[in-house]
Amino acid sequence: MRPRPVRPAGWWFDGLLLAALVALTVALAAGHLFGLDRTVADWCDGHRPTAARWVAMTLNLLGQGTPLTLLAAGLGVLLAVRLRSVRPILPPVVAFVLTTFTIGPLKVWTARPAPSASIKEPFLSPEQTLPLFQHDLPVRFAQSYPSGHVANAIVWYGVLALLLAPLLRTFGRTMPARLVTVIRVVPPAVVFCTTVYLSWHWLTDSVAGLLLGLLLDRLLRRMPWDDLPLPGRLRRWDRPFTSRP
């Protein structure tokens, strides 16, 4: 088995993403970048008319993890039925495992409140909403870092792009490369901007979600889905799907 190619090639970019995520977390833990987060949040709070707020809330639905998971699973099952292969089910399953055991635990470990924690429960002072590692707060009030909306959007739209192209081929259609890029880039970018604009996350929360999402996405894109070994009972259902013409 050989990993599938990614761009930029090599593991150096993965290391750079991980190093940037660690550096950002360390900087926040030391109390840095709070001024930037507060400035961006205050600007958004002062430039959010009702119409813009509703538009942003609607667009932010693009980053809902559960619907994206179900959609990707549904596409995987549909493609599996059409190809008589279990392999299209593997990407949604692996993506679910990766996101479950990275995003959630990081949120709990870093224990950072959202900007809105000063205007609704637990009604912290503005200064108390910024630091990480506030484990004295109930977990539901301290899960802002990193942004799960952003990380999930990057991972799941990557999985959708991976499945849509071979699914369309089963109907005799092709998927333009530019459309693949649009699916991968536009929804996560919209989610990033709207999450910050709505003050549902600090700017650095969304940057951390971006770094983590890109790292997980590169791991998934490397997976040789057509060559992964399967148990004996499933070898009759192991037709490839990413490399089919």
Side-chain angles (χ1 to χ4, degrees):
M1 294 187 298
R2 290 186 178 182
R4 301 172 67 213
V6 294
R7 294 183 181 180
W11 291 92
W12 67 269
F13 192 72
D14 303 70
L16 184 62
L17 291 171
L18 180 59
L21 178 60
V22 172
L24 178 60
T25 307
V26 170
L28 291 170
H32 301 299
L33 303 176
F34 289 172
L36 173 62
D37 276 338
R38 175 57 65 191
T39 298
V40 172
D42 289 345
W43 185 92
C44 292
D45 289 341
H47 297 79
R48 195 187 302 126
T50 301
R53 177 174 174 270
W54 280 104
V55 170
M57 290 176 62
T58 301
L59 292 175
N60 193 260
L61 295 175
L62 292 170
Q64 292 292 327
T66 300
L68 288 174
T69 302
L70 294 175
L71 178 59
L75 289 181
V77 170
L78 177 59
L79 182 58
V81 171
R82 292 189 62 81
L83 293 179
R84 298 181 181 276
S85 171
V86 298
R87 293 190 178 276
I89 302 176
L90 297 179
V93 171
V94 175
F96 178 78
V97 172
L98 277 180
T99 54
T100 298
F101 288 98
T102 54
I103 300 173
L106 277 175
K107 283 176 170 290
V108 174
W109 176 63
T110 54
R112 189 188 201 189
S116 59
S118 63
I119 60 174
K120 62 182 183 180
E121 285 191 285
F123 296 106
L124 304 174
S125 68
E127 294 74 21
Q128 288 179 297
T129 59
L130 286 158
L132 276 66
F133 306 120
Q134 299 194 50
H135 294 289
D136 54 322
L137 294 173
V139 173
R140 68 183 186 277
F141 295 137
Q143 296 191 52
S144 187
Y145 182 93
S147 169
H149 275 67
V150 175
N152 274 314
I154 294 172
V155 169
W156 287 110
Y157 282 102
V159 173
L160 291 175
L162 174 68
L163 296 173
L164 277 173
L167 180 60
L168 287 176
R169 286 199 296 268
T170 65
F171 291 98
R173 299 179 179 273
T174 59
M175 188 170 180
R178 289 186 179 181
L179 181 56
V180 173
T181 302
V182 168
I183 292 174
R184 285 185 171 275
V185 173
V186 173
V190 170
V191 171
F192 182 102
C193 294
T194 55
T195 298
V196 175
Y197 180 67
L198 292 166
S199 290
W200 289 353
H201 282 284
W202 301 105
L203 174 63
T204 51
D205 295 343
S206 291
V207 172
L210 174 68
L211 296 171
L212 178 60
L214 289 174
L215 180 61
L216 297 179
D217 178 66
R218 285 175 63 83
L219 292 176
L220 289 168
R221 295 177 71 175
R222 277 194 170 91
M223 294 292 289
W225 302 111
D226 292 340
D227 300 319
L228 292 176
L230 296 175
R233 293 182 178 181
L234 297 178
R235 288 174 186 169
R236 294 182 302 168
W237 303 83
D238 67 346
R239 296 178 64 188
F241 73 99
T242 63
S243 59
R244 288 178 61 84

